[in-house]
Amino acid sequence: MSTTALTQAGLNLIQQALTIYDSDLRLAVCNARFAEMFDLPASHTTPGAHFEDTIRHLTSRGEYGPVDDPESFVRDRVEIARAFQPHYMERTRANGRTISVEGAPLPQGGWVTVYTDITDVKTQEQLLRTRSELLSEEVLKRSEELSATNRQLAATNAALKEARRELQEIEARTRTTTEMMPAHIARVDATGRYTFSNRRLSVVMPGRPSHILGLHISETLGPQAYARVKPHLEAAYKGQQSTFEFTDESSSRRIRAAFTPDPLEPGVYIMSQDVTEETQTRAALQQTRRREMAAQLISGMAHDFSNLLTIILGMQSKLSRMAPSTDAAPLISATLQAARRGGDLLNRIADITSQRSWQPKPVALDPFLHDLATLATPSLPDGIKLTIDNRTEGAFMADAGLLQDALLNLILNARDACGETGAIHLSTQDLQSTWLQITVTDTGPGFSDKALDHGLDPFFTTKGGEGSGLGLAMVYDMTKLAGGSVRLSNTAAGARVTLRLPLRPADELPDNSLVLLVEDSDDLRASVREMLIDLGFAVVEAASVTEARTLAEGLPDLALVLSDISLEGEETGLDLIDHLKGIPLRLMTSLPPDHPHHAAARARVPVLPKPFATEDLTAFLGQERPPE
């Protein structure tokens, strides 16, 4: 049995009613005596139940006697709860029973309350007051019973304090453990509402909220993602565990989710991970393996076929020298041309199945696309215009050679589709900081239905004898080697090919080695300075935004600014982003990932979490040594 189940069983044995509410005024835990004492339905004793709803229910039941304005009464009780203070009180319920109420706040927010039925004790006290002279012997007996009851109550209170302490420790350990996990861990009840979450959903699936307790899974995930997980959720409610993957369209992330039925009560435990990079790598490895198998299969066939073509070419050449008739000459010439085309086709097959791999290096898109236009333009007729729209700033990691071959292939295919007049448009964009999307469109007739289904298949062509059917297959091969994808579609004006490549930023330092280090802790600044010096950089230092701005204005050759987010004064490292435009800037911090400053920094520049070692700093800067 789990620790949680054991704890709940222990709480249910206590004769007092006990509740624990969190800082959001939601029920964290209660025992069975609480439901029995106040005759509450399950909706008010289930973790996640609102304190306000429970008070409203008790008010409507007459728990607090006649109330002139119930809603005002409920609001007052909620406001008192939000400013919770330690207290002890005794009150007589509408049913005539008397209870004591003792409450104490918790360090993590929220409070614990113990309710004790003291009706018998009050009766004994009244008896002592009214009949002390007549029933002295009975008074003595009742006093002894009262003393025994008080001792039992003291023991119970001590046990409750120990249980509260243990609950606090268990909750703190559980919360710390789950918050450190690189995954979203949660539980939904039988109605699909979250009763637990480690607040990592916004990290795994950007754009989703972090605080989701009480929300339904459908409104948290959104229609598209919920539609993908709903069958697995329904299966989990029936006791079937499942692990599956799906693509979250709103964030362009690949998500792996595990749904596990709750063995104790209706509900499902959920663990979700962002496996986008893993999926990209897996796709690249699968494509590499396919190419290796294709190469093994085709190389033998190509060798034998090449020998046959050599024999055919030799025999046809000899036949042409034997003074053939006029009727035979065209046939011999056609045979020779077909054999030579077969040789060219073998070379193309060798290209697509040769030992190629995706070898990414930093590629600056602007000069890369300029070179692409220079290469492609001479092959285009005067009536076809090529335009390029680069919407992605900076550089990223890519195999420039393979990417250039693929884009040239697409541009030339678009040229063939347009004929003598038309337009070809190439655009790039950063898609959710996950993909580099490259789109090529033309004003030709567009893809046929058959081409949309089979255009990426090897040897499929719509050009008849003029095409090999390997052009788009090579584009597909390139994107898969990179871990990306390619999609064919049509627009209102023509055809469209969309490539998605993993977006791996490549922030290289300029051709100098002077770094401005901004850190307000002397010890930390000294440590990071030594790391930078060991890597071969020259370092100047500042402790505040004002000091850093002053130094940067006098250092025109500054290669990089490395700053902490938290600095001396009111301004933070985030302010340096706007003050020092044009200078590469990176931030470091010890703030937790969900802190507003940390989240805002990640949205604008690379951020290195503290603590870090020299190897971490080296990888973060993107190179082992400064340029020489």
Side-chain angles (χ1 to χ4, degrees):
M1 184 178 292
S2 66
T3 302
T4 302
L6 289 171
T7 302
Q8 186 65 54
L11 293 177
N12 289 339
L13 293 175
I14 298 173
Q15 293 304 307
Q16 283 76 20
L18 180 144
T19 62
I20 299 177
Y21 282 87
D22 63 21
S23 58
D24 294 327
L25 305 189
R26 291 179 180 271
L27 182 66
V29 67
C30 70
N31 63 355
R33 180 62 177 147
F34 177 66
E36 295 170 1
M37 178 177 288
F38 297 101
D39 192 23
L40 292 171
S43 60
H44 295 293
T45 59
T46 302
H50 287 273
F51 174 80
E52 180 178 351
D53 295 340
T54 303
I55 294 298
R56 182 176 289 108
H57 173 78
L58 292 174
T59 303
S60 66
R61 290 272 304 277
E63 174 66 24
Y64 305 101
V67 177
D68 295 333
D69 186 354
E71 283 303 315
S72 178
F73 178 83
V74 171
R75 285 196 300 271
D76 291 342
R77 294 297 298 268
V78 170
E79 290 303 317
I80 293 173
R82 292 190 186 279
F84 195 89
Q85 298 294 328
H87 66 274
Y88 175 88
M89 60 174 290
E90 296 177 0
R91 70 176 177 88
T92 301
R93 302 176 60 198
N95 61 6
R97 306 291 294 181
T98 302
I99 61 172
S100 67
V101 183
E102 181 179 3
L106 298 174
Q108 294 83 10
W111 70 89
V112 59
T113 306
V114 178
Y115 306 84
T116 306
D117 191 329
I118 58 173
T119 305
D120 292 340
V121 175
K122 287 295 184 181
T123 301
Q124 293 170 8
E125 291 176 352
Q126 185 65 25
L127 180 64
L128 287 173
R129 285 194 298 269
T130 60
R131 304 180 63 188
S132 59
E133 294 181 358
L134 299 175
L135 300 174
S136 59
E137 208 171 297
E138 183 68 19
V139 167
L140 180 61
K141 178 181 177 182
R142 292 294 185 181
S143 296
E144 291 175 351
E145 292 178 354
L146 179 60
S147 298
T149 300
N150 286 337
R151 288 193 295 270
Q152 293 176 359
L153 181 60
T156 300
N157 285 337
L160 285 174
K161 289 181 180 179
E162 179 62 20
R164 181 173 65 185
R165 184 190 64 80
E166 292 180 356
L167 281 173
Q168 290 173 352
E169 291 183 356
I170 291 171
E171 180 186 8
R173 285 197 298 268
T174 302
R175 173 62 62 183
T176 300
T177 300
T178 56
E179 290 296 341
M180 293 296 291
M181 294 289 288
H184 177 232
I185 301 174
R187 181 190 179 277
V188 294
D189 61 16
T191 66
R193 296 190 177 277
Y194 287 98
T195 59
F196 173 81
S197 171
N198 66 343
R199 297 179 296 184
R200 300 279 292 177
L201 180 61
S202 60
V203 177
V204 175
M205 301 175 69
R208 298 329 195 273
S210 296
H211 301 280
I212 60 176
L213 290 182
L215 297 180
H216 195 275
I217 186 173
S218 61
E219 67 176 304
T220 302
L221 297 183
Q224 181 268 333
Y226 179 65
R228 299 298 303 273
V229 307
K230 184 178 179 181
H232 301 276
L233 180 63
E234 293 174 346
Y237 281 133
K238 297 177 182 178
Q240 301 176 18
Q241 182 176 356
S242 62
T243 301
F244 59 97
E245 292 185 8
F246 68 96
T247 299
D248 176 33
E249 293 182 358
S250 65
S251 64
S252 299
R253 301 294 179 90
R254 186 70 176 174
I255 307 299
R256 178 181 297 145
F259 284 11
T260 304
D262 188 334
L264 301 178
E265 55 183 308
V268 177
Y269 288 99
I270 301 173
M271 184 173 74
S272 306
Q273 295 174 278
D274 180 358
V275 294
T276 304
E277 293 191 12
E278 177 186 331
T279 303
Q280 293 168 348
T281 302
R282 185 169 64 235
L285 291 175
Q286 290 174 346
Q287 183 64 12
T288 300
R289 181 55 182 160
R290 291 193 195 101
R291 296 179 77 259
E292 290 175 352
M293 295 176 64
Q296 293 174 0
L297 175 64
I298 293 174
S299 61
M301 297 173 59
H303 176 269
D304 294 340
F305 189 43
S306 180
N307 288 339
L308 291 175
L309 286 177
T310 302
I311 295 172
I312 292 173
L313 286 171
M315 294 180 66
Q316 290 297 312
S317 297
K318 183 177 181 180
L319 185 61
S320 66
R321 294 193 299 269
M322 295 174 63
S325 65
T326 303
D327 294 337
L331 297 177
I332 294 173
S333 177
T335 303
L336 288 171
Q337 291 179 7
R340 292 191 181 98
R341 288 194 61 197
D344 293 337
L345 182 60
L346 283 178
N347 292 333
R348 297 288 300 277
I349 294 174
D351 288 340
I352 200 172
T353 60
S354 62
Q355 292 295 327
R356 296 189 302 168
S357 62
W358 183 257
Q359 297 178 346
K361 294 181 180 179
V363 175
L365 278 182
D366 279 335
F368 172 82
L369 294 174
H370 180 270
D371 292 344
L372 178 67
T374 302
L375 290 172
T377 301
S379 301
L380 303 178
D382 294 337
I384 295 180
K385 181 181 180 181
L386 172 64
T387 58
I388 295 179
D389 179 16
N390 179 25
R391 306 173 190 171
T392 306
E393 297 181 356
F396 77 108
M397 301 299 292
D399 188 320
L402 291 182
L403 181 58
Q404 186 181 81
D405 290 345
L407 296 181
L408 277 174
N409 203 308
L410 293 179
I411 292 173
L412 295 180
N413 278 357
R415 175 203 64 186
D416 295 341
C418 290
E420 294 299 320
T421 59
I424 302 172
H425 182 71
L426 185 151
S427 65
T428 70
Q429 69 177 106
D430 178 343
L431 195 62
Q432 300 287 345
S433 299
T434 302
W435 302 100
L436 173 68
Q437 181 165 293
I438 304 176
T439 304
V440 178
T441 60
D442 63 54
T443 56
F447 291 108
S448 65
D449 292 340
K450 188 174 183 180
L452 289 174
D453 293 335
H454 302 285
L456 300 176
D457 297 345
F459 306 112
F460 177 85
T461 180
T462 58
K463 301 177 183 179
E466 299 298 323
S468 65
L470 294 175
L472 287 178
M474 293 182 70
V475 175
Y476 174 85
D477 180 56
M478 183 278 299
T479 56
K480 287 299 181 181
L481 284 175
S485 62
V486 57
R487 180 185 177 189
L488 307 182
S489 60
N490 287 323
T491 67
R496 174 172 53 203
V497 180
T498 304
L499 309 183
R500 283 187 179 179
L501 304 178
L503 185 63
R504 303 283 189 269
D507 298 321
E508 290 191 322
L509 297 180
D511 294 333
N512 55 63
S513 58
L514 182 59
V515 175
L516 171 56
L517 173 61
V518 190
E519 170 61 65
D520 61 346
S521 169
D522 294 338
D523 293 337
L524 284 175
R525 190 166 64 247
S527 177
V528 178
R529 178 183 65 238
E530 291 301 319
M531 292 182 188
L532 290 169
I533 291 174
D534 289 341
L535 293 175
F537 295 105
V539 182
V540 291
E541 303 170 31
S544 65
V545 171
T546 301
E547 188 178 356
R549 293 178 62 185
T550 302
L551 287 173
E553 290 174 359
L555 297 171
D557 296 328
L558 196 60
L560 174 75
V561 176
L562 177 62
S563 173
D564 193 9
I565 292 179
S566 303
L567 298 171
E568 289 181 358
E570 296 181 356
E571 293 184 290
T572 69
L574 289 167
D575 296 304
L576 286 174
I577 301 175
D578 298 321
H579 291 319
L580 303 181
K581 293 181 179 180
I583 303 176
L585 185 142
R586 304 181 192 183
L587 296 175
M588 52 187 177
T589 186
S590 57
L591 297 173
D594 58 353
H595 191 281
H597 285 172
H598 194 158
R602 288 199 311 272
R604 302 187 66 184
V605 297
V607 180
L608 177 63
K610 294 179 179 177
F612 54 83
T614 302
E615 295 78 11
D616 302 320
L617 181 60
T618 300
F620 181 66
L621 295 180
Q623 57 184 44
E624 296 184 358
R625 290 289 186 272
E628 298 180 356

